[in-house]
Amino acid sequence: MNDPKFMLDDCRDILSQLVRVNSCQPEGNEKDVVNLLTKILSPKLTLKVIDHGNNRASLVAELEGLDKTPGIALLGHIDTVACKDLKNWDYEPHEAKVIDNILYGRGSADMKGGVAAMVLAANHLASLPQKPRRSLLFCFTADEEAGGLGACSLVEGKYLNDVESIIICEASDDKVSFCEKGALWLRLDIHGVASHASRPDLGRNAVEYAIWFIQRLKEHVQDGQMHRIMGQTTVSVTNFHGGVMTNIIPSEAFVELDIRTIPDVSHDDIVHTAEQLCNEMQSKYSHVHAEIQVLNDRPALECDPRSQFHQDVVSMAKSCEIGTEGKGHFFYTDASQVIPHLNIPFVIAGPGDDAMAHKANECIDLHSVSKFASFYTRFLTKHYW
């Protein structure tokens, strides 16, 4: 229909407003962002605020189509991680300082840059004289950086039930990402028997059993299976505690493990293996008790390259000078909360470099915001008008 060019001044104006709203975890306060969005989104969009309480909220903006059944949804989260390391920032994290078209601030890349591109695209599409063939959804979610409260509310509220595809507008380094790693977080608690360290034979060393467990689980999980983009499944010890004094055999230990999986790796199998290792430990050693707890479970995801959606995205991305080869996300996105329930194709495509996520001096190039706003607009007009 047309080929919109989004001015850098407009990108800077919208993104600056978003960054200046503090929506850091753990409080979130995403309702403050929602209040801003209700002011800057086109009045031609139908807005539904999902109130989570405690000044937390998500927002669904709908551009009504000739067929009111939604055809596609764009998702972007409006919370950010905290910015406690202020001494490492060159500029105040919520100042939205701009130097040579680079905007600095917490959430600029992860992912208020993507939210700004969504707003620009939504407002442009709402200004067109014709309605789309099917309704379009622009979803702004709370709590992606923690429990996924916003994404879960979209599923539970059945907002996405009829959509045929999803674009996650996370930073993707000027590329399109067709896959993301899964996350399985486990906690192991071991209870042994304390003794004087001069008589370890009288105790049951919980720390040593924990080390044994970690080594055995890694041998099973890191089995050499490789993904063409995301490499292998990894197991990382991220929290380990045991013992009270140097001369006491520790009777208690706990370990937390962050396991990042590639597609086709079964989380159920990993949990089953962990439970078997606990049982083996307890059967071999008397007076030892071990328990496994699942703290987080997000599946690995991958878009089928044979799908028409995948092919359409690749075609449009190339025309927008956006890369389409060799990109995957090693962290999970809102897709992990919605795609397993919907079983529809998705991609991750948004402005900014995902390597900037959670860093001090987080920043984004405004040219990238403009490029992806154009990509969203051109893709949607081509396939829904």
Side-chain angles (χ1 to χ4, degrees):
M1 294 179 63
N2 59 7
D3 186 8
K5 300 294 184 184
F6 293 96
M7 304 299 293
L8 295 186
D9 286 348
D10 295 329
C11 298
R12 180 176 62 247
D13 175 57
I14 291 177
L15 182 53
S16 295
Q17 292 183 67
L18 291 166
V19 169
R20 287 173 185 146
V21 179
N22 184 339
S23 55
C24 289
Q25 290 278 11
E27 294 84 4
N29 291 316
E30 296 96 338
K31 195 167 187 178
D32 295 337
V33 183
V34 168
N35 290 338
L36 171 62
L37 290 170
T38 60
K39 296 175 183 177
I40 62 179
L41 284 166
S42 169
K44 293 184 179 180
L45 296 161
T46 301
L47 305 182
K48 169 62 177 177
V49 176
I50 307 172
D51 197 322
H52 306 304
N54 298 317
N55 200 38
R56 311 197 75 170
S58 299
L59 176 69
V60 176
E62 179 179 2
L63 180 58
E64 187 177 287
L66 298 174
D67 179 344
K68 295 182 181 181
T69 303
I72 189 171
L74 277 65
L75 270 64
H77 69 84
I78 52 178
D79 62 320
T80 73
V81 293
C83 40
K84 295 180 180 179
D85 53 343
L86 296 180
K87 65 180 183 300
N88 296 320
W89 286 78
D90 293 334
Y91 313 104
E92 200 282 322
H94 296 104
E95 179 184 357
K97 180 75 171 180
V98 179
I99 301 176
D100 295 331
N101 292 316
I102 305 295
L103 189 148
Y104 293 83
R106 174 56 80 220
S108 55
D110 184 20
M111 60 157 292
K112 290 180 177 178
V115 170
M118 290 170 63
V119 171
L120 288 161
N123 285 350
H124 177 85
L125 295 170
S127 73
L128 298 178
Q130 308 96 336
K131 285 186 175 184
R133 289 184 292 103
R134 293 178 64 178
S135 294
L136 311 176
L137 299 182
F138 299 84
C139 305
F140 306 92
T141 59
D143 194 41
E144 188 269 355
E145 298 289 1
L149 180 64
C152 289
S153 71
L154 295 179
V155 173
E156 293 164 4
K158 301 182 179 180
Y159 292 96
L160 306 175
N161 272 17
D162 296 315
V163 300
E164 57 191 8
S165 54
I166 285 177
I167 299 176
I168 305 291
C169 303
E170 282 269 9
S172 56
D173 194 24
D174 279 358
K175 301 178 179 70
V176 178
S177 174
F178 296 99
C179 50
E180 69 178 43
K181 272 194 166 184
L184 178 63
W185 298 352
L186 301 179
R187 175 177 169 125
L188 169 71
D189 285 277
I190 296 182
H191 307 275
V193 178
S195 69
H196 197 289
S198 67
R199 291 297 307 274
D201 54 303
L202 299 179
R204 291 290 183 266
N205 193 320
V207 168
E208 292 183 356
Y209 294 133
I211 294 170
W212 175 88
F213 175 93
I214 293 165
Q215 292 172 334
R216 293 290 302 276
L217 187 67
K218 279 193 171 188
E219 289 171 4
H220 174 82
V221 174
Q222 297 179 170
D223 59 0
Q225 182 181 349
M226 299 292 289
H227 185 271
R228 61 186 179 83
I229 295 174
M230 295 182 294
Q232 69 172 344
T233 295
T234 59
V235 180
S236 299
V237 178
T238 53
N239 197 358
F240 193 144
H241 181 77
V244 291
M245 290 181 66
T246 305
N247 60 348
I248 299 177
I249 295 298
S251 63
E252 308 285 339
F254 78 81
V255 181
E256 290 181 349
L257 301 168
D258 185 324
I259 304 171
R260 300 291 169 145
T261 57
I262 58 176
D264 297 326
V265 170
S266 168
H267 289 195
D268 287 344
D269 285 351
I270 296 174
V271 173
H272 180 64
T273 297
E275 291 171 343
Q276 284 185 316
L277 289 173
C278 288
N279 292 336
E280 181 181 344
M281 187 190 309
Q282 292 171 149
S283 64
K284 279 186 175 181
Y285 307 104
S286 61
H287 307 296
V288 173
H289 181 68
E291 296 178 348
I292 281 290
Q293 180 183 358
V294 177
L295 304 178
N296 192 12
D297 188 354
R298 308 283 188 102
L301 302 171
E302 186 165 24
C303 181
D304 185 348
R306 297 167 298 181
S307 71
Q308 188 61 50
F309 176 69
H310 184 288
Q311 296 170 34
D312 292 340
V313 167
V314 167
S315 176
M316 183 58 69
K318 288 179 177 178
S319 71
C320 294
E321 298 182 349
I322 293 171
T324 60
E325 295 293 334
K327 178 65 179 176
H329 275 64
F330 288 79
F331 55 83
Y332 58 76
T333 70
D334 272 339
S336 66
Q337 300 278 38
V338 299
I339 298 301
H341 296 278
L342 304 174
N343 195 28
I344 57 176
F346 79 103
V347 294
I348 307 166
D353 184 353
D354 48 298
M356 290 301 306
H358 304 187
K359 287 187 175 181
N361 291 325
E362 181 181 351
C363 63
I364 192 170
D365 190 331
L366 293 172
H367 290 92
S368 184
V369 178
S370 174
K371 178 187 291 189
F372 276 88
S374 178
F375 168 69
Y376 302 149
T377 303
R378 292 177 60 188
F379 184 84
L380 294 175
T381 52
K382 179 174 182 178
H383 295 287
Y384 290 94
W385 261 263

